[in-house]
């Protein structure tokens, strides 16, 4: 009696790795989550450097991107590369028919991780009273 024939199997190709989000996209979403009150400010602690965490904490106090009815979303992202290892990013944030502007700077550290080093909403910051 002949051995049963087993059909040849096609080798499975490994699943293609899911594309990693760009740092610009990832940070825009993280900052939006903090500034809209969806995540606490301390969630950004290890993702910031310099005074960016303090600036973000001051911005987040009022929940400037917190909305009622429409959840804010990142509508568009653009960036400029002023030097290698640095990105200046802008994002348009939409909630319903309202549009806001968010800008931030990312710098890559020696450990090759991106960190936010500055963040602004709706244009340049005005000096706080009493600060010179």
């Amino acid at each position: 009696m002949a051995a049963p024939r087993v059909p040849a199997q096609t080798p499975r190709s490994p699943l293609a790795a899911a594309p990693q989000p760009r740092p610009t996209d990832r940070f825009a979403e993280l900052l939006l989550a903090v500034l809209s009150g969806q995540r606490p400010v301390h969630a950004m602690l290890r993702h910031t450097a310099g005074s960016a965490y303090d600036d973000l904490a001051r911005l987040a106090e009022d929940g400037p991107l917190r909305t009622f009815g429409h959840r804010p979303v990142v509508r568009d992202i653009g960036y400029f590369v002023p030097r290698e290892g640095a990105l200046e990013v802008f994002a348009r944030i939409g909630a319903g028919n309202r549009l806001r502007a968010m800008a931030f700077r990312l710098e890559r550290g020696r450990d090759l991780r991106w960190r936010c080093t500055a963040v602004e909403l709706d244009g340049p910051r005005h000096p706080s009273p009493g600060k010179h």
Side-chain angles (χ1 to χ4, degrees):
M1 176 182 259
R5 289 189 72 160
V6 178
Q9 298 196 2
T10 328
R12 293 185 184 183
S13 62
L15 294 175
Q20 294 296 311
R22 296 179 299 188
T24 54
D25 300 353
R26 183 168 172 256
F27 275 86
E29 292 293 342
L30 286 169
L31 290 167
L32 173 59
V34 168
L35 294 171
S36 64
Q38 297 171 43
R39 294 185 75 174
V41 177
H42 68 264
M44 288 297 295
L45 194 53
R46 66 186 189 108
H47 301 290
T48 55
S51 64
Y53 181 79
D54 295 331
D55 294 344
L56 183 58
R58 274 191 294 280
L59 280 171
E61 280 179 7
D62 299 327
L65 297 179
R66 188 172 285 134
T67 61
F68 300 98
H70 295 281
R71 185 176 181 167
V73 295
V74 176
R75 293 252 174 104
D76 188 28
I77 296 176
Y79 64 93
F80 170 71
V81 182
R83 65 172 173 75
E84 188 170 334
L87 300 169
E88 293 180 354
V89 186
F90 73 86
R92 290 184 190 99
I93 308 299
N97 61 358
R98 186 161 184 201
L99 214 57
R100 303 280 305 263
M102 179 171 64
F104 55 97
R105 182 178 174 94
L106 299 177
E107 293 188 24
R108 192 181 331 205
R110 290 184 180 177
D111 60 359
L112 301 180
R113 289 183 48 216
W114 289 97
R115 288 183 181 82
C116 180
T117 58
V119 61
E120 293 181 3
L121 283 178
D122 300 324
R125 290 175 279 194
H126 300 288
S128 301
K131 282 196 171 184
H132 300 336

